[in-house]
Amino acid sequence: MSSAVSTEPLLHRSFREISRPRFRSSTLRPSPPPASLSCAPKSPSFRHARRRCASGSGPRRGGWGGAGAGALLRVRASSSGAAVVEALESADVLFQEAFPLQRTETAKGKIFVRLDQGKDGQNWQLTVGCTLAGKWILHWGISHVDDVGSEWDQPPAEMRPPGSIPIKDYAIETPLQKSSTSMDGDEVYEVNISIKSNSNIAAINFVLKDEESGSWYQHRGRDFKVPLMDSLQDDSNIVGSKRGFDLWPGALGQLSNILLKGEASDYKDKDASTDLEASKQEVRCLEGFYVEQPIVKVVSIRNSVNISVKICPKTAKTLVYLETDLPRDVIVHWGVCRDDSKKWEIPAAPYPPETEIFKNKALRTLLQPKEQGNGFWGSFALDEEFVGFLFVLKLKEEDVWLNCMGEDFYIPVSSTRSSSLIRQKESDSTETSGKTMETNTEVSSTAYTDDIINEIRNLVSDISSEKSRKTKTKEAQESILQEIEKLAAEAYSIFRSSLPTFSAEAVLEQEALEPPPHICSGTGTGFEILCQGFNWESNKSGRWYKELMEKASQLASLGFTVVWLPPPTDSVSPEGYMPRDLYNLNSRYGTIDELKDLVKKFHEVNIRVLGDVVLNHRCAQYQNQNGIWNIFGGRLNWDDRAVVADDPHFQGRGNKSSGDNFHAAPNIDHSQDFVRKDLKEWLHWLRSEIGYDGWRLDFVRGFWGGYVKDYLDASEPYFAVGEYWDSLSYTYGEMDHNQDAHRQRIIDWINATNGTAGAFDVTTKGILHAALERCEYWRLSDQKGKPPGVVGWWPSRAVTFVENHDTGSTQGHWRFPSGKEMQGYAYILTHPGTPAVFYDHIFSHYQSEIGSLISIRNRNKIHCRSTIKITKAERDVYAAIIDDKVAMKIGPGYYEPQSGPQKWSPVLEGRDYKVWETS
């Protein structure tokens, strides 16, 4: 039973594989992924806080047989479970499947920073530690007294603790080691850094990285800072004592300044006058200190539930046996259905022991503990009239619901149906892992067809809405209707085709003559090529808008159709990602008038403009009565009702967050009507006043995608893309080949927006990293022979990229393998999806090659839905053919496309990549 607030998911068959149980209807569904998926992170973004696993969330209002608050009625139980198990073991198996369960648990601990004077009375020791178990890494560097404009440099060799690894030329990464001591009974992980008192180091800068969860802990988008020089005490960014060592806290919030004076300090026994005189003569005056802050870490835990369905020969009833390895008392919230509508109903008694009726809509059964081993089990006897068994699981003492990738578990129990499905399952299992080209293409065409169906649904919704009828011109409505007819005809021709392979040549030729009209809010035409028009340092000149205006014509000549501009608002951080007064558009990049001129210039050269909008969080201008910064000023003068209630740092009075909290600033509660109203008006104002054509949406993991749909419906952008940044799956430090769970989380967010926005294809970037770094190009084909990222499942919503301002530039938090950037661009600029090119790469020695790849893409009309055939994916080479017009390969290995009806001519070749066109 689906949630009452959701519609039929806009899911392609290609990614239903891991979002639903194996058998959902009379059509065979592939199995979900194995439960062994690992979630150790390797893809950080310093501005982003921590991740919360997507599964294990509770039911929505109205779903799961009405599983909301309500009275429970105790009912009569069946005879002993042993008799049922005995009958189960003697019956024929109709269905048997294991489903993975993912849930999260919260671990609490402390992060501490301590300064102690050395035993010699001269040198000092800085200790950074944590009381939570994990793979903690200190990412740190120093700044010297005479440094100008640079805050990070590598420390001298004698200062580096054992196990330190240099990061480029600006930082060091040092793993925290388990300490022999404990703190309040908890294990301690720490690292010690020795500091010579006679060095010329002005400060130590660091961030703390948790490799297991992907968390990077900073302070409002910037770094921890321990100043060593009195000259730094005037820095307004430093928090705490004005004397001696000080600490600038990170994303954990305002650390309590508990300063413990060093007992061995040279000035400790001197009188006040002597101490004052010494402070005038000495460059520095050090004091020991100790600060700590509570930390909460969300840990992902994997369990499973096993289901068996059999027919009892004695009673002719269908027996459903369920067991799980969940560690605590488990309740099964269940019901049955009579047909494919999956409508929940309650079967007739008798019921299993510990069963209650819930609001006459479902049953709740407490599972029994296993006699041997960990876990719980239950059995359910059903009459022949039912065809399906529906359920979700709940941990009894917690508000934690476990379902099947966002939907109810559905188990077929009809003997006829189950038998046919089992036979089909056995038939499928005989297929080898090496799929034929025909099979690959057939799967691709099925996904293509489902994508068309999704587009038709969106178009119908768009044209039928009252708002659309009022705001769209007659010509625009007719254009949408024509697009519906074209897509429907295309889907029907695919359906009628009896060929084992699918060719969209005729359709693509038609699209090549004339790009399709606007499909739906936020998705563009499909032929976009995006330029990120800034990097992390662009704000420092104070005149970035003027500088970029001089490059507008050049970007147009290179073939770019869309440019993404930096956040325009007044911001606590100069980069713009800590917005404060949303209607104040005078920023470090330039004035509001300069921004308007820049947008106008881009429009003159036929380039659309995306604004970078930060909707998840907002910095406050005023403190409340407790000294907490949660009162906002400016035109949108919200109070603490606009702040979510479950971030303890900002004492919000709103509802709980609908996503992951960004702990460096107050997270906005988008469930509030006044908040959504104000934000929609602001987006509309940006469209009309500035001329933005669409949006790049920052940190969309922080709030529900349904709110994004609301904002996009109101602002009607030409194109929109969300930054859903998540950690890939690793096992023992090595990236897993199967990243289906990672891309599914991105797909789920896109689906929550009803497909009105795309998302950056972080999955593809991460897999390209591993493939190119390790010379493992086989990673670029998934188990179905398709691209392994979002572009392989929903290409029209995948915005592929190699680098951006977070991962590259001077931040360099997840740099693309050095020297192999052009292999990355050869991949994304020839493949489906919407490619995005980073500013630093455009204006570099790569410009000519990038321009040539864009020309090839445009010349051959490659678009976001282009068809792809992966022809080779081996250790040292990957090759593919796109739309039967372009062939490409990356990697040092050999590949030449086979000549047949088509003759291939090489058109571009570079370091470990090559591209051909049909002649």
Side-chain angles (χ1 to χ4, degrees), residues 62 147 244 250 421 437 518 873:
D147 283 347
L421 291 176
M437 186 58 63
H518 176 74

Side-chain angles (χ1 to χ4, degrees), residues 11-18 30 433-451 737-740 743-744 747 761 763-764 767 777-795 827 831-832 865-873 878-881:
L11 298 176
H12 300 174
R13 189 181 310 244
S14 55
F15 61 81
R16 284 181 181 140
E17 299 158 10
I18 70 167
S433 59
K435 304 294 185 182
T436 63
M437 186 58 63
E438 289 77 13
T439 303
N440 285 336
T441 311
E442 185 175 6
V443 172
S444 178
S445 66
T446 302
Y448 192 92
T449 308
D450 284 354
D451 196 11
H737 176 227
N738 186 337
Q739 294 295 337
D740 287 354
R743 58 177 167 176
Q744 181 66 52
I747 291 288
D761 194 348
T763 316
T764 290
I767 294 172
Y777 291 83
W778 49 266
R779 293 181 177 274
L780 294 172
S781 177
D782 68 9
Q783 296 173 342
K784 297 288 185 180
K786 299 167 63 179
V790 177
V791 73
W793 278 354
W794 205 344
Y827 183 93
H831 278 50
R865 295 181 188 83
S866 289
T867 59
I868 180 170
K869 301 175 185 177
I870 297 176
T871 57
K872 205 167 189 179
Y878 165 87
I881 296 175

Side-chain angles (χ1 to χ4, degrees), residues 612-625:
D612 198 329
V613 291
V614 183
L615 302 179
N616 174 75
H617 51 274
R618 181 185 170 196
C619 293
Q621 284 96 321
Y622 309 106
Q623 296 170 289
N624 68 2
Q625 64 274 17

Side-chain angles (χ1 to χ4, degrees), residues 441 445 493-494 497 499 501-508 867 869 884:
T441 311
S445 66
S493 66
I494 298 170
S497 175
L499 297 175
T501 59
F502 167 72
S503 173
E505 183 177 356
V507 175
L508 298 183
T867 59
K869 301 175 185 177
D884 293 326

Side-chain angles (χ1 to χ4, degrees), residues 111 218-221 224 236-241 246-258 291-295 572 578 619-620 623 626-630 647-651 663-666:
I111 284 182
Q218 283 188 305
H219 177 58
R220 298 187 180 276
F224 288 85
S236 61
N237 293 319
I238 296 174
V239 178
S241 169
D246 200 357
L247 180 70
W248 182 8
L252 306 173
Q254 300 293 328
L255 298 179
S256 56
N257 259 323
I258 308 171
V291 295
E292 65 179 33
Q293 172 68 31
I295 180 176
V572 171
M578 302 292 287
C619 293
Q623 296 170 289
N626 299 324
I628 302 298
W629 294 87
N630 60 13
D647 186 342
H649 301 106
F650 298 103
Q651 297 181 5
H663 295 283

Side-chain angles (χ1 to χ4, degrees), residues 191-425:
V191 62
N192 299 312
I193 300 173
S194 297
I195 306 167
K196 291 185 177 180
S197 58
N198 60 353
S199 68
N200 67 337
I201 298 174
I204 296 177
N205 311 291
F206 67 89
V207 289
L208 196 61
K209 169 184 175 183
D210 176 15
E211 285 201 336
E212 290 185 342
S213 67
S215 300
W216 292 79
Y217 295 100
Q218 283 188 305
H219 177 58
R220 298 187 180 276
R222 299 173 72 180
D223 313 320
F224 288 85
K225 176 180 288 187
V226 179
L228 308 181
M229 295 292 182
D230 283 345
S231 59
L232 293 181
Q233 299 303 321
D234 293 333
D235 189 339
S236 61
N237 293 319
I238 296 174
V239 178
S241 169
K242 288 294 182 180
R243 182 181 187 184
F245 267 70
D246 200 357
L247 180 70
W248 182 8
L252 306 173
Q254 300 293 328
L255 298 179
S256 56
N257 259 323
I258 308 171
L259 297 180
L260 306 180
K261 307 299 182 181
E263 294 180 0
S265 299
D266 293 339
Y267 55 81
K268 187 72 176 179
D269 297 325
K270 299 179 180 180
D271 57 34
S273 60
T274 305
D275 184 46
L276 180 61
E277 182 65 22
S279 66
K280 293 179 181 178
Q281 298 177 7
E282 296 293 330
V283 177
R284 69 184 70 192
C285 182
L286 306 183
E287 294 180 356
F289 70 81
Y290 175 87
V291 295
E292 65 179 33
Q293 172 68 31
I295 180 176
V296 176
K297 177 180 176 181
V298 179
V299 181
S300 178
I301 299 175
R302 293 179 298 276
N303 297 103
S304 64
V305 57
N306 300 302
I307 307 293
S308 296
V309 179
K310 303 181 182 182
I311 299 297
C312 177
K314 297 180 180 179
T315 64
K317 285 183 176 289
T318 303
L319 302 179
V320 179
Y321 179 77
L322 180 153
E323 65 176 9
T324 178
D325 59 351
L326 288 166
R328 293 181 289 279
D329 287 348
V330 182
I331 293 174
V332 181
H333 184 93
W334 64 281
V336 293
C337 61
R338 298 178 184 273
D339 51 39
D340 288 341
S341 67
K342 314 292 190 302
K343 183 178 180 181
W344 283 59
E345 61 178 275
I346 299 176
Y351 304 126
E354 300 293 331
T355 296
E356 301 168 327
I357 294 178
F358 176 78
K359 298 179 71 172
N360 292 322
K361 294 183 178 180
L363 296 170
R364 286 184 172 178
T365 300
L366 179 66
L367 294 183
Q368 305 298 311
K370 293 181 181 179
E371 292 184 1
Q372 297 180 347
N374 298 323
F376 299 85
W377 69 274
S379 59
F380 309 85
L382 309 177
D383 293 330
E384 288 182 325
E385 60 187 294
F386 301 113
V387 301
F389 178 78
L390 301 139
F391 73 95
V392 290
L393 301 175
K394 181 181 184 295
L395 297 182
K396 182 180 179 182
E397 302 301 329
E398 305 173 32
D399 189 21
V400 175
W401 292 81
L402 302 171
N403 52 33
C404 186
M405 299 297 179
E407 296 188 24
D408 309 331
F409 287 98
Y410 171 78
I411 308 300
V413 296
S414 170
S415 58
T416 303
R417 172 181 295 178
S418 296
S419 298
S420 64
L421 291 176
I422 293 297
R423 286 195 298 270
Q424 181 65 46
K425 176 182 176 182

Side-chain angles (χ1 to χ4, degrees), residues 111-125:
I111 284 182
F112 62 88
V113 182
R114 182 177 66 242
L115 177 71
D116 297 308
Q117 192 173 29
K119 296 180 180 179
D120 56 6
Q122 296 295 324
N123 297 329
W124 293 77
Q125 180 172 276

